[in-house]
């Protein structure tokens, strides 16, 4: 099983079985792979879990930038860093095409190689000396919405410590031992998160209270000013409206703005949609500017996205 095609075939079979078992189970969240395997499950649970939730269709250099940005800016070198790559098998806006879920999980596995390689070669690497190595989890969820995903992660036994649920612990100790999630997303995802239409039947932002009560968002600026998200200043004003109480009539709270950190995004034009388009057009050179080498090899060797009608 040492040749790449055998490894891919093995992974795809394993992921296909995981997806089938997950679909027929009552579970709403499941970690299907951890890199390195010795880090599964975490012991003790991480204090901070970085969550990169995307369709990964395919994983791009924009996803890589988001992950590296937060990992290299985390100056706590004495606490284990843990990154969760999360794939929703149900999406509020997108149908599960053109790449199958098992293929996406395969590409996410290849993507972990790119994260480790990029960390090793980054100019910021001299400042990145954690006492414990980075662990990356790959997981699936049935929930399409952020608030439900965060709750499912919190409830997962994978990230819980047996002692943390003990009745002998004081309330203050339980709170100090709790895990914080930092959700990593683009500005377009933030606007969807704060759109009341996704929270029926009242269509208010009140359901987000549980998310913002203990978790955080790190949001990448949307590059360019030619789309509906506006310029960098307009994106900052969008968050400021929340801080100024202008969203209170919709159920938004001023304090939530303190949990939202805006960060530098990648250059304009890097997206999964663009990657699929250049593959369909047969431009493998252009693909190198949109995805990393490990993901590119997986795409080419598996023949993905050559026909956007594939399921």
């Amino acid at each position: 099983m040492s040749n790449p095609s055998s490894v891919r075939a093995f992974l795809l079979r394993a992921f296909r079985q995981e997806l089938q078992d997950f679909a027929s189970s009552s579970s709403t969240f499941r970690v299907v792979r951890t890199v390195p395997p010795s880090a599964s499950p975490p012991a003790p649970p991480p204090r901070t879990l970085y969550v990169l939730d995307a369709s990964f269709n395919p994983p791009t250099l924009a996803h890589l930038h988001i992950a590296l940005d937060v990992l290299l800016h985390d100056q706590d070198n004495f606490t284990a860093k843990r990154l969760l790559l999360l794939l929703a098998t149900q999406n509020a806006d997108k149908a599960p095409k053109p790449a199958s879920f098992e293929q996406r999980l395969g590409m996410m596995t290849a993507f972990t190689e790119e994260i480790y390689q990029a960390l090793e070669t980054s100019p910021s690497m001299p400042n990145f000396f954690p006492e414990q190595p980075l662990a990356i989890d790959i997981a699936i969820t049935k929930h399409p919405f952020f608030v439900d995903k965060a709750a499912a992660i919190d409830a997962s036994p994978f990230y819980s410590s047996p002692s943390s649920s003990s009745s002998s612990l004081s309330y203050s100790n339980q709170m100090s031992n709790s895990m914080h999630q930092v959700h990593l997303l683009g500005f377009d995802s933030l606007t969807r998160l704060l759109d009341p239409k996704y929270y029926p039947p009242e269509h208010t932002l009140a359901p987000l209270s549980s998310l913002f009560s203990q978790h955080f968002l790190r949001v990448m600026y949307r590059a360019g000013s030619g789309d509906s998200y506006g310029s960098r200043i307009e994106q900052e004003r969008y968050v400021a409206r929340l801080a100024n109480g202008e969203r209170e009539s919709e159920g938004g709270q001023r304090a939530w703005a303190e949990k939202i950190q805006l960060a530098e995004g990648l250059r304009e034009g890097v997206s999964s949609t663009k990657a699929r388009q250049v593959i369909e057009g047969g431009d493998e050179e252009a693909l190198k500017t949109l995805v990393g080498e490990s993901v590119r090899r997986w795409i080419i060797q598996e023949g993905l996205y050559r026909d956007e009608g594939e399921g």
Side-chain angles (χ1 to χ4, degrees), residues 56-281:
F56 297 106
N57 195 20
T60 68
L61 294 178
H63 294 119
L64 181 61
H65 171 81
I66 291 173
L68 294 179
D69 172 78
V70 73
L71 291 171
L72 291 172
H73 282 82
D74 183 341
Q75 298 300 312
D76 182 0
N77 290 335
F78 298 97
T79 302
K81 295 173 172 61
R82 202 164 190 103
L83 173 66
L84 170 62
L85 305 179
L86 183 60
L87 174 66
T89 56
Q90 297 181 39
N91 192 292
D93 294 310
K94 302 173 184 176
K97 290 185 177 182
S100 65
F101 288 130
E102 59 261 34
Q103 286 287 3
R104 294 193 213 180
L105 291 170
M107 288 187 286
M108 290 161 71
T109 302
F111 181 58
T112 64
E113 298 175 7
E114 297 174 358
I115 294 174
Y116 285 113
Q117 290 169 0
L119 286 173
E120 291 174 358
T121 59
S122 170
S124 301
M125 188 59 192
N127 298 321
F128 186 77
F129 285 118
E131 293 293 306
Q132 302 180 57
L134 169 70
I136 304 177
D137 299 316
I138 297 174
I140 48 180
T141 180
K142 294 174 183 173
H143 292 300
F145 300 115
F146 276 105
V147 62
D148 298 319
K149 293 172 184 176
I153 294 169
D154 277 335
S156 171
F158 188 85
Y159 292 116
S160 65
S161 169
S163 61
S164 65
S165 59
S166 171
S167 59
S168 63
L169 286 176
S170 68
Y171 175 76
S172 60
N173 283 338
Q174 289 185 44
M175 290 302 292
S176 66
N177 289 335
S178 64
M179 178 182 71
H180 296 295
Q181 299 173 31
V182 178
H183 288 258
L184 315 175
L185 57 154
F187 189 83
D188 54 334
S189 296
L190 176 66
T191 62
R192 289 195 295 272
L193 175 70
L194 295 177
D195 189 336
K197 77 176 184 181
Y198 291 112
Y199 308 104
E202 289 82 7
H203 295 287
T204 76
L205 299 178
L208 292 174
S209 295
S210 59
L211 173 68
F212 283 108
S213 65
Q214 59 180 327
H215 303 313
F216 301 83
L217 305 179
R218 187 173 175 88
V219 181
M220 301 292 115
Y221 285 105
R222 179 86 171 194
S225 58
D227 58 25
S228 60
Y229 303 105
S231 66
R232 182 189 183 104
I233 293 176
E234 289 171 309
Q235 291 171 51
E236 291 171 351
R237 286 174 179 164
Y238 179 87
V239 178
R241 287 184 58 224
L242 183 64
N244 295 335
E246 297 177 41
R247 305 293 301 272
E248 288 181 343
S249 63
E250 300 171 281
Q253 299 178 25
R254 296 170 186 253
W256 295 354
E258 299 175 4
K259 299 292 189 77
I260 301 173
Q261 181 182 29
L262 293 171
E264 204 63 52
L266 196 58
R267 63 180 175 81
E268 190 175 5
V270 178
S271 70
S272 295
T273 300
K274 181 67 174 176
R276 295 196 302 269
Q277 289 172 345
V278 301
I279 297 165
E280 190 177 19

Side-chain angles (χ1 to χ4, degrees), residues 10-82:
F10 172 81
L11 287 172
L12 289 172
R13 284 195 301 271
F15 288 141
R16 192 175 300 115
Q17 187 61 55
E18 285 276 13
L19 287 160
Q20 291 172 354
D21 293 345
F22 182 63
S24 61
S25 74
S26 60
S27 301
T28 59
F29 171 85
R30 179 179 296 181
V31 175
V32 297
R33 188 172 179 82
T34 294
V35 182
S38 59
S40 175
R47 292 294 302 276
T48 300
L49 179 68
Y50 296 114
V51 182
L52 180 49
D53 171 21
S55 60
F56 297 106
N57 195 20
T60 68
L61 294 178
H63 294 119
L64 181 61
H65 171 81
I66 291 173
L68 294 179
D69 172 78
V70 73
L71 291 171
L72 291 172
H73 282 82
D74 183 341
Q75 298 300 312
D76 182 0
N77 290 335
F78 298 97
T79 302
K81 295 173 172 61
R82 202 164 190 103

